[in-house]
Amino acid sequence: MILIDGKKYRDELLEEYKKKVEDLSISLAIIQVGNNEASNLYITNKIKYSSQVGINVEYFNLDTEDEKEVEELINQLNENDNITGIILQSPTPNMNYDRLAEMIDSKKDVDGFTKENIYKLYMKEEAIIPCTVKGIIKLLDHYNIPISGSNICIIGRGNIVGKPLALALTNRDATVTLCHSKTKKLKDITKKADIIISAVGKPNMITEDMVKKDFVGIDVGINKVNGKTVGDFDFENIKDKASYITPVPGGVGPMTIAMIIDNLIEMAEKN
Ligand code: NDP
């Protein structure tokens, strides 16, 4: 079994990014509404790693329930040529997140959530790919795990991970089965999968009897159990059946942050 080390690969990528950022002038705007505890942590990390590679970060924390204020800020940032990319941190309490996120100029849409970017992904055109999706594919490529022709079972059809990941892997010629809470006989599907990607958010969702020998396991889930962070896999009991497997923490999570920077560099080079 080979443990997929997302942290190590992230650090290698950050070194590469540092060199690229030197030649580009990149500014990231992060908008947070309110003071959600999980958001604070995500934002701290986004600022930390972006700054580390030389990206300028402008952080706006709005203490408001007035959606208009957020709209105005997004419009200003869209028009500001010094801003390369914009992140609207989810959630935006008492506001329609999807509507606000859609207002971000698709060329500055770091998360790849706007309709234009999703449509481009659907059409297999060049698009800004959602960071977790891009990070998973980068990890598979880095470890030379074949995607084309592989049977890939994705569990979870969320808008941020599962659904766009199914599109992106289909674009890479995988045979994708996208499962969710209404899927019947999930085990019959996972047992046949060369690669299992779980993006559910339930500890011990994937157990030893559900996987075939030498499967590749990518665990996107983040769960807190007795103060410890764990994924969706019953890791200790399935790891020995895996050929490659991600730990939680230290697998997909670090890649998501790195791909924010990857997307920003892509935008700066293009625009
Ligand atoms: P969503 O709530 O959007 O999606 C969860 C999905 O899981 C839904 O499609 C749901 O099905 C499905 N599901 C729930 N229960 C079952 C079940 N018993 N069997 C099969 N499918 C089930 O969540 P997200 O996609 O936003 O996040 C998923 C997980 O990934 C979370 O733990 C989140 O914290 C983590 N995450 C990690 C990231 C990282 O960087 N590592 C980034 C983003 C998310 P249905 O649609 O039928 O309700």
Side-chain angles (χ1 to χ4, degrees):
M1 179 273 286
I2 293 174
L3 199 64
I4 296 180
D5 192 339
K7 256 191 186 163
K8 182 162 171 259
Y9 186 34
R10 174 200 63 199
D11 290 341
E12 286 168 23
L13 287 171
L14 291 179
E15 284 307 310
E16 270 177 41
Y17 295 153
K18 218 183 253 174
K19 291 190 196 102
K20 284 192 180 173
V21 172
E22 272 173 21
D23 302 327
L24 301 157
S25 169
I26 303 183
S27 278
L28 165 65
I30 301 176
I31 307 170
Q32 179 182 19
V33 180
N35 199 23
N36 178 290
E37 206 177 303
S39 295
N40 292 343
L41 184 67
Y42 291 138
I43 289 172
T44 302
N45 279 325
K46 287 172 190 179
I47 295 174
K48 176 180 157 191
Y49 289 105
S50 301
S51 308
Q52 198 175 308
V53 299
I55 289 172
N56 171 55
V57 183
E58 295 195 24
Y59 168 54
F60 302 87
N61 188 0
L62 303 184
D63 182 20
T64 180
E65 292 196 359
D66 183 2
E67 247 175 86
K68 279 242 155 39
E69 272 185 48
V70 186
E71 274 180 34
E72 274 165 26
L73 178 58
I74 293 174
N75 285 333
Q76 278 170 25
L77 295 168
N78 279 343
E79 278 159 30
N80 184 343
D81 290 339
N82 295 324
I83 296 292
T84 317
I86 303 167
I87 291 176
L88 177 64
Q89 183 66 45
S90 166
T92 49
N94 305 311
M95 296 182 193
N96 184 338
Y97 177 83
D98 291 341
R99 194 184 71 82
L100 289 168
E102 182 55 31
M103 289 186 62
I104 296 173
D105 182 338
S106 66
K107 290 194 253 1
K108 297 189 177 187
D109 169 26
V110 182
D111 283 320
F113 293 163
T114 59
K115 285 178 189 156
E116 188 173 329
N117 277 314
I118 292 291
Y119 179 71
K120 282 182 177 163
L121 175 62
Y122 177 86
M123 294 303 284
K124 210 178 165 179
E125 290 171 15
E126 211 176 294
I128 300 294
I129 310 281
C131 298
T132 305
V133 171
K134 198 178 193 182
I136 291 168
I137 292 176
K138 260 223 172 339
L139 267 185
L140 292 171
D141 286 340
H142 183 64
Y143 281 84
N144 292 317
I145 296 163
I147 294 175
S148 174
S150 291
N151 284 320
I152 303 185
C153 172
I154 302 171
I155 309 145
R157 57 175 163 181
N159 289 341
I160 295 170
V161 189
K163 251 190 229 175
L165 182 61
L167 280 176
L169 290 170
T170 304
N171 287 347
R172 286 283 304 268
D173 300 324
T175 304
V176 177
T177 310
L178 183 57
C179 303
H180 45 77
S181 67
K182 308 289 188 295
T183 298
K184 289 179 183 153
K185 297 189 177 165
L186 178 63
K187 182 170 146 182
D188 289 357
I189 302 166
T190 55
K191 268 240 164 217
K192 289 194 187 113
D194 305 310
I195 303 175
I196 298 174
I197 306 176
S198 185
V200 174
K202 286 204 172 134
N204 296 325
M205 169 86 209
I206 308 299
T207 48
E208 192 268 334
D209 57 319
M210 294 171 76
V211 301
K212 72 173 180 182
K213 196 171 170 300
D214 291 333
F215 80 106
V216 174
I218 305 290
D219 194 347
V220 187
I222 300 175
N223 310 290
K224 280 273 179 214
V225 176
N226 302 325
K228 226 179 117 196
T229 303
V230 299
D232 293 345
F233 289 172
D234 178 10
F235 186 82
E236 282 310 315
N237 293 310
I238 68 171
K239 68 178 195 310
D240 292 330
K241 270 177 107 173
S243 53
Y244 293 85
I245 192 165
T246 58
V248 176
V252 173
M255 292 301 293
T256 299
I257 288 271
M259 291 307 107
I260 289 175
I261 299 163
D262 200 281
N263 277 350
L264 280 163
I265 292 172
E266 215 179 288
M267 288 167 171
E269 284 174 340
K270 224 182 283 169
N271 304 321

